[in-house]
């Protein structure tokens, strides 16, 4: 009986040693130092006009297309893309550096860079011709960076950039990326510094703000300024209508900032018609310094539910939280809307 136990223990020990050696060999593959090298020294990605990303042969989950001066996400309701994020991503790829960790097809599964495993990212040029195809495998040791290879190449590299997280993939194997993370969900692209006039319309109230240049007083010393230097006086926002009651300056700025920072949580299918935007309850008309204008339409089909927004004559329908909607309109609704007949009568000065 004792000999049988010894034999059993010996077998278990042999199995454990074998497992340890396999793990040690696998670890040795993933941490061997080969030196950092520039992976794309001669690649010019300024010519990229389209980026496509998909997981293991599925339909492209992310499509980014370059327009004349920006980028769009055609498979996410033609949303305006985050131009700065895309340009930064292309710059990172152009400057990609890494350490070679393998150069054998047999080891592709170890790093998840096989054609049927990896996240495939295509960079297309004019006439949609491929300039570069990158296959992104699993994260590196301790979650640092990730493993990559180029299409039709056997070399596998460990890079510092974790391109999986760039595409919104966090620890989930074979997850297809979502195009939403590349969309610019800021609803009004022209910033507040380009506006000249804003009109907010509510069911029971309306208010108009206009930008004016603040007068600059002459210097007390009487010294003349350099005539060649044009000093533009600072702009201020004033309430033009109604004359009374007026919002405090801080409330005007808060309302305008809320409009400027208006950001959606997601885009909705514009083919649907149950958003209530055919008969919007709230509007925000914005006139720009260049003479153009935009009008935002708001509707909330269910009380306390999500609010839907679209720019008039534009395709996209945005969803914003109820709290964001209230932050934009509450100050106007609470302070500017006319009192009901049962409320206190206006003073003589107000009635004139």
């Amino acid at each position: 009986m004792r000999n049988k136990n010894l034999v059993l223990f010996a077998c278990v020990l042999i199995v454990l040693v074998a497992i340890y050696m396999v793990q040690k060999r696998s670890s040795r593959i993933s941490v061997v130092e080969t030196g950092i090298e520039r992976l794309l020294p001669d690649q010019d990605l300024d010519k990229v006009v389209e980026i496509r990303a998909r997981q293991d042969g599925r339909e492209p989950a992310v499509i980014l297309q370059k327009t004349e001066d920006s980028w769009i996400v055609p498979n996410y309701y033609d949303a305006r893309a985050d131009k700065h994020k895309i340009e930064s991503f292309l710059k990172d790829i152009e400057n990609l550096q890494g350490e070679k960790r393998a150069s054998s097809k047999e080891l592709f599964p170890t790093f998840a860079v096989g054609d049927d495993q990896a996240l495939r990212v295509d960079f297309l040029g004019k006439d949609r011709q491929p300039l570069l195809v990158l296959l992104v495998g699993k994260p590196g040791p301790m979650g640092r960076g990730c493993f990559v290879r180029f299409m039709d190449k056997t070399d596998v590299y460990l890079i510092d950039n974790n391109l999986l997280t760039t595409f919104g993939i966090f620890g989930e194997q074979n997850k297809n990326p979502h195009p939403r993370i590349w969309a610019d969900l800021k609803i009004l692209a022209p910033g507040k510094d380009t506006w000249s006039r804003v009109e907010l319309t509510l069911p029971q109230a309306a208010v108009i703000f206009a930008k004016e240049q603040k007068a600059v007083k002459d210097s007390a010393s009487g010294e003349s300024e350099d005539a060649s230097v044009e000093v533009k006086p600072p702009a201020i926002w004033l309430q033009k209508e109604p004359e009374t009651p007026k919002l405090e300056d801080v409330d005007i700025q808060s309302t305008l900032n809320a409009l400027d920072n208006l950001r959606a949580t997601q885009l909705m299918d514009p083919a649907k018609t149950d958003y209530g935007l055919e008969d919007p309850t709230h509007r925000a008309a914005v006139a720009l310094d260049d003479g153009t204008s935009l009008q935002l339409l708001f509707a909330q089909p269910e009380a306390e539910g999500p609010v839907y927004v679209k720019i008039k004559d534009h395709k996209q329908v945005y969803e914003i939280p109820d709290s964001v909607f209230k932050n934009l309109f509450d100050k106007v609704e609470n302070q500017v809307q006319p009192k009901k007949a049962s409320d206190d009568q206006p003073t003589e000065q107000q009635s004139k």
Side-chain angles (χ1 to χ4, degrees):
M1 186 68 177
R2 184 177 179 183
N3 289 338
K4 289 183 178 180
N5 289 337
L6 290 174
V7 171
L8 179 61
F9 289 145
C11 292
V12 171
L13 182 59
I14 291 172
V15 171
L16 291 175
V17 170
I19 293 174
Y20 170 76
M21 295 301 293
V22 170
Q23 289 178 336
K24 186 174 180 181
R25 180 178 179 275
S26 175
S27 175
R28 185 164 60 247
I29 291 174
S30 63
V31 300
V32 63
E33 297 293 338
T34 59
I36 296 176
E37 58 183 289
R38 181 86 178 268
L39 305 187
L40 298 168
D42 303 317
Q43 188 73 55
D44 180 11
L45 295 184
D46 288 340
K47 298 178 181 178
V48 172
V49 298
E50 182 169 312
I51 302 170
R52 290 175 171 253
R54 63 179 180 268
Q55 188 76 45
D56 58 30
R58 305 176 204 172
E59 286 298 309
V62 173
I63 302 175
L64 306 173
Q65 288 181 355
K66 192 175 186 179
T67 62
E68 289 185 4
D69 58 354
S70 190
W71 289 78
I72 63 170
V73 191
N75 65 333
Y76 191 50
Y77 311 122
D78 291 325
R80 182 179 67 252
D82 188 332
K83 179 181 177 181
H84 298 296
K85 180 175 180 177
I86 294 173
E87 290 176 347
S88 177
F89 170 63
L90 288 173
K91 188 60 65 177
D92 287 344
I93 297 299
E94 199 171 87
N95 297 322
L96 213 57
Q97 295 183 345
E99 300 171 279
K100 188 186 294 185
R101 292 305 175 93
S103 187
S104 170
K105 288 185 178 181
E106 286 72 23
L107 291 175
F108 285 179
T110 302
F111 306 102
V113 293
D115 292 353
D116 59 347
Q117 297 173 289
L119 172 68
R120 171 174 171 155
V121 186
D122 294 72
F123 299 85
L124 309 179
K126 186 179 179 181
D127 299 325
R128 302 300 185 267
Q129 294 301 310
L131 299 175
L132 173 70
V133 179
L134 186 64
L135 297 166
V136 183
K138 69 180 184 180
M142 307 298 292
R144 180 180 68 87
C146 64
F147 295 100
V148 301
R149 74 176 178 93
F150 300 107
M151 179 61 73
D152 299 328
K153 303 290 184 181
T154 58
D155 293 337
V156 180
Y157 296 92
L158 173 63
I159 62 172
D160 284 336
N161 315 51
N162 191 337
L163 299 181
L164 296 173
T165 59
T166 301
F167 281 89
I169 301 174
F170 297 90
E172 296 184 41
Q173 200 69 19
N174 295 326
K175 178 185 176 183
N176 228 5
H178 196 287
R180 180 173 60 231
I181 66 172
W182 293 93
D184 184 356
L185 295 178
K186 188 177 187 297
I187 297 177
L188 276 176
K192 189 177 69 170
D193 58 337
T194 67
W195 305 350
S196 60
R197 178 184 171 97
V198 171
E199 180 175 356
L200 301 179
T201 305
L202 295 73
Q204 300 297 327
V207 63
I208 296 176
F209 306 118
K211 183 172 66 176
E212 294 187 0
Q213 300 302 131
K214 186 176 181 180
V216 179
K217 295 181 180 180
D218 293 335
S219 172
S221 64
E223 295 180 0
S224 60
E225 302 242 348
D226 185 352
S228 64
V229 179
E230 182 180 353
V231 179
K232 189 175 182 180
I236 59 172
W237 283 89
L238 301 175
Q239 179 179 322
K240 293 297 185 179
E241 294 183 16
E243 292 186 2
T244 58
K246 284 194 179 290
L247 274 70
E248 298 288 340
D249 288 344
V250 65
D251 291 331
I252 294 175
Q253 291 302 323
S254 175
T255 299
L256 294 172
N257 288 339
L259 182 60
D260 187 26
N261 296 324
L262 204 59
R263 186 174 294 274
T265 54
Q266 63 177 331
L267 270 75
M268 309 303 293
D269 185 352
K272 296 184 178 180
T273 58
D274 55 349
Y275 304 121
L277 291 167
E278 296 80 5
D279 187 22
T281 58
H282 295 65
R283 297 172 185 261
V286 179
L288 307 179
D289 292 334
D290 62 5
T292 60
S293 61
L294 297 167
Q295 185 175 172
L296 273 66
L297 312 177
F298 298 79
Q300 188 176 29
E302 299 181 10
E304 307 300 325
V307 178
Y308 301 107
V309 188
K310 73 172 296 184
I311 300 175
K312 188 177 181 180
D313 299 327
H314 286 214
K315 170 184 177 180
Q316 290 77 22
V317 176
Y318 302 92
E319 180 184 299
I320 64 173
D322 173 64
S323 58
V324 173
F325 175 65
K326 289 179 177 178
N327 188 42
L328 172 59
F329 286 103
D330 268 7
K331 291 182 177 66
V332 175
E333 187 171 19
N334 294 335
Q335 298 185 45
V336 176
Q337 70 173 349
K339 292 179 178 292
K340 298 178 181 178
S342 59
D343 292 339
D344 294 337
Q345 294 299 316
T347 63
E348 181 179 351
Q349 182 179 1
Q350 291 175 325
S351 61
K352 288 182 179 180

